[in-house]
């Protein structure tokens, strides 16, 4: 605190009493320290609005990281199947090679018994190929056509097996790298969720009540926007029905086959309402956002990709005004969230950790959060 001191006269009065300069400086320091101690918590502690924004951002980041985790997990599953298939193929080919090698060894032994140059077992085993060995021992000329064919088959099979082994080795390396990515993505999700929980745990009961009030206000505004969209869509549909010219039918209205599929997808989604959001989950007991939309459309016979940034390309983009039940509504610039549109500005979605599958306005996080609408079938 010495750097904040100003030069003072030798004697100063405090409460009518003359005190030495040193005592005055000490009292001044105590006062400043007291002010700093009282001000620090207020200065350092974020506002409730800042906490809310930070928590929302962390949940969004966790959801984006969840998509990375889902993609890595899906990739790992495919690669593991490929590796298992390759290893099984290599094992079968190796067994055939061993059997063929034994047969070729019997050819060499037979030639030895008939007087050809004595075969050296070590030479046979260390030769680059059986062909090299038979050439070296000048036995090829004495083999029958069947025996020569066996040698040729062995050489060909050995070459293929070596390539398969290299392929399996490379696939194993790739699988190891993908598993490392999976581990990193999982750790990222867990860290974001833990940070969000820590922020919320620091709130007082009064602050939590205020936060709930802010959330209710947001929900009321979202419901109002949803009602506006429902009115706009209803007006557009009525205008289309009242059109006298046959050609003036709405071009974006889904055909009956889409409506049938969408109804199945929505029926499935509604049956999941109340189930918890769990990152990386695809059902049947819990879901993340893209896991729910994937499962819903699978129930309608349509296969969607696993993650949001692939699902957004799995169909035809339509305007929000033309959104129909069953369409996918994507959110945020990084396309990290998705819900299933049910009409009237509402959707069914798996919102975030700690929440449950529910119906909610597509404006739940504001109009600017909506990225696009896609018709998947």
């Amino acid at each position: 605190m010495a750097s904040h001191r100003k030069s003072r006269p030798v004697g100063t009065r405090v409460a009518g009493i003359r005190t030495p300069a040193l005592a005055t400086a000490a009292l001044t320091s105590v006062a400043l320290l007291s002010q700093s101690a009282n001000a620090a918590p207020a200065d350092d502690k974020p506002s409730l609005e800042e906490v809310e924004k930070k928590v929302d951002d962390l949940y969004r980041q966790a959801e984006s990281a969840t998509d990375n985790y889902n993609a890595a997990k899906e990739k790992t599953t495919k690669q593991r199947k490929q590796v298992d298939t390759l290893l099984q193929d290599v094992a079968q080919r190796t067994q055939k090679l061993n059997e063929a090698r034994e047969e070729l060894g019997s050819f060499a032994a037979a030639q030895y018994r008939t007087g050809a140059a004595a075969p050296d077992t070590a030479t046979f085993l260390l030769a680059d190929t059986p062909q090299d060995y038979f050439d070296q021992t000048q036995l090829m000329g004495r083999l029958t056509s069947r025996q020569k064919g066996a040698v040729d088959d062995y050489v060909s099979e050995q070459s293929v097996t070596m390539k398969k082994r290299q392929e399996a080795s490379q696939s194993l390396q790739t699988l190891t790298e993908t598993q490392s990515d999976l581990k990193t993505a999982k750790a990222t999700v867990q860290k974001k969720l833990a940070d969000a929980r820590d922020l919320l745990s620091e709130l007082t009961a009064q602050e939590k009540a205020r936060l709930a009030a802010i959330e209710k206000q947001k929900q009321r505004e979202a419901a109002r926007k949803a009602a506006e969209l429902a009115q706009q869509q209803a007006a557009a549909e009525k205008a289309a029905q009242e059109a006298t010219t046959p050609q003036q039918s709405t071009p974006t209205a889904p055909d009956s086959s889409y409506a049938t599929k969408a109804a199945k997808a929505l029926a499935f989604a509604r049956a999941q309402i109340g189930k918890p959001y769990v990152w990386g989950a695809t059902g049947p007991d819990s879901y993340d956002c893209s896991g729910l939309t994937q499962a819903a459309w699978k129930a309608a016979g349509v296969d969607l990709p696993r993650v949001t940034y692939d699902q957004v390309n799995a169909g035809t983009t339509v305007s929000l005004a033309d959104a129909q039940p069953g369409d996918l509504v994507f959110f945020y610039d990084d396309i990290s969230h998705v819900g299933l549109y049910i009409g009237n500005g509402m959707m069914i979605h798996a919102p975030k950790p700690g929440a449950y599958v529910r119906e909610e306005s597509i404006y739940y996080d504001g109009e600017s959060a909506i990225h696009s609408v896609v018709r998947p079938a």
Side-chain angles (χ1 to χ4, degrees):
M1 301 302 295
S3 61
H4 298 290
R5 294 175 184 167
K6 297 181 180 179
S7 59
R8 298 179 182 275
V10 175
T12 305
R13 289 186 178 276
V14 177
I17 302 175
R18 183 178 296 278
T19 59
L22 182 60
T24 301
L27 288 171
T28 303
S29 297
V30 169
L32 289 173
L33 285 171
S34 178
Q35 292 174 3
S36 299
N38 292 333
D43 293 340
D44 295 342
K45 187 174 181 179
S47 68
L48 191 60
E49 290 73 15
E50 289 173 335
V51 171
E52 181 193 30
K53 184 179 184 306
K54 183 63 176 176
V55 170
D56 287 345
D57 287 345
L58 285 168
Y59 278 141
R60 279 188 53 199
Q61 292 169 23
E63 197 159 31
S64 181
T66 297
D67 265 350
N68 294 333
Y69 170 84
N70 290 338
K73 185 177 180 180
E74 188 176 41
K75 188 176 180 181
T76 298
T77 300
K78 291 179 180 178
Q79 288 176 341
R80 184 175 288 112
K81 290 180 180 179
Q82 292 173 352
V83 168
D84 289 344
T85 300
L86 282 170
L87 291 177
Q88 185 178 8
D89 186 27
V90 168
Q92 292 173 346
R93 290 179 180 277
T94 300
Q95 178 62 30
K96 290 181 180 178
L97 282 176
N98 290 337
E99 294 172 356
R101 197 176 186 86
E102 291 177 1
E103 184 178 4
L104 293 177
S106 67
F107 292 165
Q111 294 299 334
Y112 171 67
R113 288 193 299 270
T114 59
D120 182 348
T121 304
T123 301
F124 175 70
L125 293 174
L126 295 176
D128 290 337
T129 68
Q131 185 76 43
D132 292 338
Y133 170 75
F134 279 86
D135 286 344
Q136 292 166 11
T137 57
Q138 299 179 346
L139 291 176
M140 282 302 291
R142 302 190 61 185
L143 293 177
T144 65
S145 60
R146 184 182 69 83
Q147 292 170 336
K148 288 179 181 179
V151 172
D152 291 339
D153 290 344
Y154 181 92
V155 172
S156 176
E157 184 66 23
Q158 186 184 51
S159 176
V160 172
T161 301
M162 289 179 65
K163 290 180 180 178
K164 290 290 183 180
R165 284 175 179 168
Q166 292 174 351
E167 187 177 348
S169 177
Q170 292 172 352
S171 295
L172 280 170
Q173 177 64 29
T174 302
L175 176 60
T176 300
E177 293 172 355
T178 305
Q179 288 175 326
S180 177
D181 294 340
L182 182 65
K183 185 178 180 180
T184 300
K186 182 176 182 179
T188 300
V189 175
Q190 291 174 330
K191 178 66 167 58
K192 299 297 183 184
L193 296 180
D195 288 344
R197 286 194 296 268
D198 289 344
L199 278 173
L200 291 173
S201 67
E202 293 172 359
L203 296 177
T204 64
Q206 184 178 9
E207 288 173 329
K208 289 179 180 179
R210 282 182 56 204
L211 199 61
I214 292 173
E215 181 63 25
K216 286 183 179 178
Q217 178 58 35
K218 286 175 61 177
Q219 290 176 359
R220 286 193 290 269
E221 177 61 19
R224 184 186 68 78
K225 293 288 294 182
E228 287 182 359
L229 178 61
Q231 290 176 353
Q232 293 169 5
Q233 291 178 332
E237 184 178 353
K238 182 178 180 181
Q241 291 174 348
E242 292 176 349
T244 56
T245 306
Q247 290 80 8
Q248 290 182 324
S249 59
T250 174
T252 56
D255 58 29
S256 59
S257 63
Y258 176 79
T260 300
K261 292 176 182 178
K264 292 180 180 179
L266 289 171
F268 179 92
R270 285 193 175 93
Q272 313 314 309
I273 290 176
K275 293 183 178 180
Y277 175 104
V278 174
W279 66 271
T282 56
D285 299 322
S286 57
Y287 297 89
D288 63 17
C289 66
S290 57
L292 176 64
T293 52
Q294 183 189 46
W297 270 104
K298 185 176 182 180
V302 177
D303 290 327
L304 292 181
R306 175 64 182 93
V307 297
T308 54
Y309 49 76
D310 286 333
Q311 288 186 4
V312 74
N313 296 316
T316 304
T317 301
V318 299
S319 68
L320 182 58
D322 292 327
Q324 297 289 339
D327 291 350
L328 304 176
V329 185
F330 295 90
F331 298 86
Y332 311 117
D333 291 339
D334 59 357
I335 318 175
S336 57
H337 189 67
V338 62
L340 194 67
Y341 191 63
I342 60 177
N344 297 325
M346 302 292 288
M347 66 178 174
I348 298 174
H349 70 147
K352 60 185 178 181
Y356 297 83
V357 176
R358 65 193 183 202
E359 291 188 10
E360 192 164 27
S361 167
I362 61 174
Y363 298 102
Y364 79 106
D365 203 19
E367 187 172 2
S368 62
I370 299 174
H371 177 275
S372 57
V373 180
V374 171
R375 189 158 298 152

